[in-house]
Amino acid sequence: MGGVEDDEPASKRMKLSSEELRRLSNGSTIKEPVAGSSRDLMARPLQSEGGEEVVGSKGVIKKVEFVRIIAKALYSLGYIKSGAHLEEESGIPLHSSVVNVFMRQILEGNWDESVVTLRNIGLTDERTVKSASFLILEQKFFELLDEEKAMDALNTLRTEIAPLGVNDSRVRELSSYIVSPSYCSLTRSPKQDTVRARSRSKLLEELQKLLPATVMVPEGRLEHLVEQALVLQRDACMFHNSLDKEMSLYSDHQCGRDQIPSQALQILQAHTDEVWFLQFSHNGKYLASSSNDQSAIIWEVYETGVSLKHKLSGHQKPLSSVSWSPDDRQLLTCGAEEVVRLWDVSSGECLHVYEKTGLGMVSCGWSPDGKWIFSGLNDKSICMWELDGKELECWKGQRTLKISDLEITGDGKQIISICRETAILLLDREAKVERFIEEDQTITSFSLSRDSRFLLINLLNQEIHLWNIEGDPKLVSKYRGHKRTRFIIRSCFGGLEQAFIASGSEDSLVYIWHRGTGELIETLPGHSGAVNCVSWNPANPHMLASASDDRTIRIWGLNNLSTKRKEPCSNGIHYCNGVY
Amino acid sequence: MDVDPRLYEQIAVNDNDIHNIIMSYLVHNCFKETVESFIACTGMKQPSDYLEDMEKRKRIYQFALEGNALKAIELTEQLATNLLEKNKDLHFDLLSLHFVELVCSRKCTEALEFAQMKLTPFGKEQKYVEKLEDFMALLAYEEPEKSPMFHLLSLEYRQHVAEILNRAILAHGNHPTYTAMERLIQQTTVVRQCLNQEHAKDGPPPFSLKDFIKS
């Protein structure tokens, strides 16, 4: 039939094993030639009786275990005949005959016999035997109670369960069950008091967990091992940036660089001066950009590309930044040392202007519940308003600088801004506690991670530092390579689970690093002026936007995107000047 | 070593007060004959209302101590009506004594039925649940003396319940529930503790009755 015969000479058995090896490994390649593998197998010491035969090229998989977990998996999948056939053909039974008898007795409710059989299985640990007996007798107890045979149940408790001497607290609970039919201990869920005995197959599962794996193969073991391998592969995948890609068992998972946006798909030319800032909305459906031309633009993101939705004019000064409301329905724009304006995204209307006489605003931000807005002012204070313009609070003193970003953490408690040239202030506005991040170099900009746990800081000396801001701030990583000498350059988090860092640079390139290792992965050419700001689409890890002094915005996506675009272009670049 | 007597020798103590202290002790513990002798020897006034009840209280105490809770309950109902209704904790403790009796005499079916009828109704209130569980656990063991709850079968436990019952009956009759003697010793102990804590080494040592008697 093809099974290994015991009376065959040793060498022949070797060759058959490598044949089985091929059959069992299901298509994964074995690099060594056949002769080589036989030699390897021969070199390993063979146990004489019941031979410790192994499968796989590394010789760590015991054949008996391998076949048994496959058989178990076959039975779990419902392929009973195949499972039985495997047991027969391999000569390796899933369970010993004693165990088979035991399992049948449990399912048929022959409690007393099953306890006896349990002893025959030959377990070495007395405690395991007692615990298993306890579980079985407990089932017997509850089934008697369900049949309203209280005295029998009491008897079982007294003469069979209690004498085991394990789990006194459970014995206590069981006593209470007999006395009071509606008894509900705190540990047992209230739903279970009508039918007290659980199903026998559940009992069998519990017993499987209790008994050693050699006696009863655990449920789902093969599936667990495969999942473990997949998870390890995914964690080791450095460029892992794909939502959709299903992990396949046929080959090891490895995202290539092709999962990082690296090709300019669109060039947006609607601003008439340097574009200083841009940011995707939280839901990734919109992009807002602001420029030296005193306007801001709201772009809408479609399957096919990005197109202009509204041009927001009104400011009398260049716009330093924009900020999306948490529900993405409104947008704040900040004029450099001027006013902050609130816009409605769908209509493009200006809803409110926030200002303070005699002072100019330098930054803006939202509270996470969208009820309040914050703004840094050029007298170094930070103020908080209700949407209708009513001022609620003002933190005076050295809180911010004339040029500074402003962020609020996701719990609404911390306000973050650059308070001194080389320091960032983390102000807990409820607890009134201040924490500082001190750097050696001048800080030019920063951005907050989505989970509010990390801060990415751009420094004058062309380094980007990543800090963990939970508890005492700690420096985690540094990223280098990009260029910055004169202007404010911004960086951001991005990609699946924010595993990447992107930054603009004065050499017109967009830089992308792997966050964990700090390795520079990509530099994207295309702009013809300093790249001031980048933003990675939070809803689409394959889309990145960059804003440049060359007055354009570039939208970057994956290379070879034929599946995603309807109209193939000659060089893949789509120009957009506001009329799509 | 107790405190030096010279520190307090000069305080005068009235003989009558001492007699009262002793009397309150004897009455509390129902030593009827001793009370009668003592009155005869000292020429004290006889506290009339105490004596009848003393005999009844004594019998109730004895029954409780033996574990004959049902008899104790019956007599208590006669002597002090509604006492147990108002004192649910005590009622539970007495009923559980009976339960323990049944368990000890290995009358499992009776014990189970008794528990289901009389004890489980208490289980509706959260504060009785754990106590109830303690007692019910006794059912699980063929030798309850060897179970984790063996202390519930002890003489000390019955004594404890009997004393609570005694105090409750006294309270019901508007009599003092603690003897003067007990109170005095308790107070001395606390006072000495305070002094000790305040003055550390220099202060008097904590109160020990043994040392006091020896000194």
Side-chain angles (χ1 to χ4, degrees), chain A residues 381-400:
Chain A
S381 64
I382 296 178
C383 282
M384 180 169 130
W385 285 269
E386 266 178 27
L387 290 184
D388 60 10
K390 181 168 133 200
E391 183 178 318
L392 290 175
E393 222 181 313
C394 195
W395 293 272
K396 296 207 186 285
Q398 182 94 356
R399 307 294 184 177
T400 187

Side-chain angles (χ1 to χ4, degrees), chain A residues 72-315:
Chain A
K72 182 84 188 185
L74 285 172
Y75 284 121
S76 300
L77 287 167
Y79 304 136
I80 315 288
K81 278 196 280 190
S82 300
H85 198 75
L86 174 59
E87 287 191 66
E88 196 193 328
E89 199 174 6
S90 64
I92 299 172
L94 177 57
H95 296 127
S96 65
S97 47
V98 180
V99 172
N100 277 329
V101 168
F102 177 69
M103 286 169 55
R104 202 179 49 239
Q105 285 170 336
I106 297 287
L107 292 172
E108 289 173 2
N110 297 338
W111 311 119
D112 298 333
E113 290 98 336
S114 68
V115 174
V116 173
T117 313
L118 179 65
R119 295 221 156 255
N120 290 342
I121 290 178
L123 297 165
T124 46
D125 188 354
E126 188 61 27
R127 268 174 317 166
T128 315
V129 175
K130 286 194 171 167
S131 304
S133 306
F134 192 96
L135 282 176
I136 297 170
L137 292 166
E138 199 184 350
Q139 181 74 12
K140 176 179 174 186
F141 175 84
F142 279 119
E143 289 197 2
L144 284 171
L145 276 186
D146 279 345
E147 292 164 26
E148 310 214 348
K149 295 181 181 160
M151 284 318 290
D152 286 339
L154 181 60
N155 223 15
T156 305
L157 181 60
R158 287 168 63 92
T159 59
E160 292 171 347
I161 300 181
L164 285 173
V166 294
N167 209 343
D168 276 331
S169 54
R170 185 64 181 152
V171 168
R172 202 182 134 97
E173 281 175 22
L174 296 178
S175 310
S176 299
Y177 273 106
I178 300 185
V179 172
S180 170
S182 58
Y183 171 72
C184 240
S185 94
L186 295 165
T187 51
R188 226 165 136 83
S189 74
K191 283 184 267 198
Q192 288 179 282
D193 59 0
T194 40
V195 176
R196 270 165 302 213
R198 58 188 167 180
S199 75
R200 289 173 186 171
S201 38
K202 273 238 105 190
L203 171 63
L204 198 53
E205 262 181 57
E206 287 291 306
L207 287 166
Q208 263 167 0
K209 285 186 211 160
L210 191 61
L211 296 173
T214 44
V215 170
M216 267 201 199
V217 176
E219 197 66 44
R221 185 64 191 158
L222 184 59
E223 294 87 329
H224 170 80
L225 286 170
V226 173
E227 279 175 345
Q228 208 177 53
L230 289 176
V231 167
L232 280 170
Q233 284 172 17
R234 189 192 64 200
D235 289 346
C237 175
M238 200 166 72
F239 300 118
H240 192 71
N241 196 29
S242 43
L243 288 168
D244 300 324
K245 188 160 179 173
E246 276 161 16
M247 299 183 75
S248 165
L249 294 180
Y250 296 134
S251 57
D252 283 4
H253 175 77
Q254 179 107 79
C255 287
R257 283 220 161 107
D258 61 318
Q259 291 300 308
I260 312 283
S262 55
Q263 187 175 14
L265 300 178
Q266 261 188 285
I267 301 185
L268 311 175
Q269 294 170 314
H271 281 293
T272 52
D273 206 324
E274 296 167 1
V275 188
W276 286 355
F277 193 89
L278 88 177
Q279 195 175 62
F280 279 99
S281 61
H282 300 97
N283 58 13
K285 292 191 186 152
Y286 299 100
L287 177 64
S289 59
S290 69
S291 163
N292 199 15
D293 68 6
Q294 302 180 354
S295 76
I297 297 181
I298 299 181
W299 307 82
E300 193 153 354
V301 178
Y302 295 101
E303 271 284 307
T304 46
V306 175
S307 69
L308 190 145
K309 188 176 166 75
H310 293 300
K311 190 152 183 166
L312 313 173
S313 313
H315 281 282

